[in-house]
Amino acid sequence: MIRALRLVFLGPPGAGKGTQAKMLQERFGARQISTGDILRANVAQGTALGMKAKTFMDSGGLVPDDVIVGMTERELTASANSGAKPSFVLDGFPRTVAQAVALDDMLERLAMPLTAVLHFDADRATLVERLAGRWTNPRNGRSYHTTFNPPELAGLDDDDGGPLVQRRDDTLAVVLDRLATYDHNTRPLVDYYAGTGLLRRIAGLGTIDAVTAEVLQALEEPEASQRA
Ligand code: AP5
Ligand code: MG
């Protein structure tokens, strides 16, 4: 039985990181730490952090490393203080080699080594199609899709019944820029983690349920989860 999960989810926009992170949060209580969701909440609230991040997010670029590293360290420290065996999924962090080095350093200080790095992938046409049809609950980051994962009532979240919105960065032009940013800055992290023994490849092309099955299988492999 899976007891503690300390995971990095790596993968391009639309690969299903958020969808599968929410699944692990619901099934195993592994806390989803989505840097994108935290940034969007800050933008919506008009905080100093949000105002700093907004231009980068709207253009499909990356928010500067120092901003993101400080923000994530606060989240991980809170997790470290929350229980004997904290479980978390880092959804969208790290995204640069500098962030990965900073993460190694902070997890060592917090004595919370990673248990696996899941690399989700899918072809470009699939990613674009998923993002074009995505509707999101801005209150909790949950994503739906008009075709692949529709809500029970169109435009409304199944849980809180509130309105779903389309993300500002899901227009085709910004999606293409986000994919280019991923290829340039983040894909090199696959090599960074390849030598650690933690990397698991998830072919994210199937249905949501098929990808969930792949994720659960990857977490059964040695080192991916800490057992009782
Ligand atoms: P972020 O919010 O992290 O966006 P992203 O990485 O571009 O990824 P997405 O959230 O778009 O995709 P996802 O993989 O979560 O897919 P989802 O599960 O929703 O970051 C946004 C911005 O914030 C960045 O561009 C950057 O500016 C900034 N930022 C964030 N972190 C940063 C960092 N560390 N450093 C610097 N800047 C940072 O699924 C997509 C859709 O497909 C949904 O509609 C879903 O229902 C559907 N779907 C999912 N799986 C399947 C499936 N298997 N089959 C069919 N449909 C599926
Ligand atoms: Mg996401």
Side-chain angles (χ1 to χ4, degrees):
M1 182 179 148
I2 296 168
R3 285 298 171 93
L5 298 170
R6 292 187 294 274
L7 307 175
V8 163
F9 275 11
L10 197 61
K17 304 181 298 295
T19 301
Q20 300 299 333
K22 287 249 180 291
M23 179 279 294
L24 291 178
Q25 182 163 272
E26 280 159 17
R27 290 200 190 191
F28 303 112
R31 180 172 169 232
Q32 178 196 21
I33 301 176
S34 161
T35 43
D37 285 351
I38 297 168
L39 291 168
R40 277 184 290 278
N42 275 274
V43 171
Q45 290 158 18
T47 68
L49 173 66
M51 285 192 282
K52 202 166 181 179
K54 187 173 183 304
T55 320
F56 299 101
M57 298 174 78
D58 284 350
S59 66
L62 293 180
V63 176
D65 287 336
D66 59 330
V67 175
I68 292 288
V69 167
M71 187 181 97
T72 308
E73 182 151 18
R74 287 192 288 281
E75 297 294 326
L76 283 170
T77 304
S79 279
N81 294 332
S82 69
K85 268 193 171 182
S87 287
F88 56 80
V89 180
L90 286 167
D91 165 8
F93 178 91
R95 265 169 143 104
T96 64
V97 171
Q99 290 179 19
V101 171
L103 176 64
D104 287 345
D105 178 57
M106 65 180 94
L107 291 179
E108 192 175 332
R109 273 184 282 116
L110 295 168
M112 297 195 301
L114 291 175
T115 55
V117 175
L118 269 52
H119 171 216
F120 294 77
D121 217 351
D123 62 80
R124 183 162 291 240
T126 299
L127 299 171
V128 169
E129 186 184 18
R130 286 183 186 170
L131 295 175
R134 172 164 64 182
W135 287 79
T136 301
N137 178 344
R139 298 165 297 285
N140 61 18
R142 179 176 299 282
S143 286
Y144 295 85
H145 191 280
T146 45
T147 308
F148 305 129
N149 183 27
E152 285 170 21
L153 293 173
L156 299 178
D157 184 72
D158 291 348
D159 289 335
D160 70 15
L164 303 174
V165 299
Q166 285 191 294
R167 272 173 44 179
R168 296 171 57 88
D169 60 352
D170 275 349
T171 59
L172 181 60
V174 181
V175 164
L176 295 179
D177 285 341
R178 286 159 61 201
L179 288 168
T181 299
Y182 178 81
D183 285 340
H184 184 72
N185 294 286
T186 309
R187 200 175 282 283
L189 291 181
V190 176
D191 287 339
Y192 180 89
Y193 286 115
T196 64
L198 296 172
L199 192 64
R200 310 278 183 271
R201 184 168 182 276
I202 307 291
L205 273 175
T207 63
I208 291 176
D209 286 347
V211 176
T212 293
E214 260 197 276
V215 167
L216 296 177
Q217 188 177 9
L219 297 181
E220 289 296 332
E221 290 175 28
E223 293 183 50
S225 63
Q226 281 194 347
R227 287 146 206 281

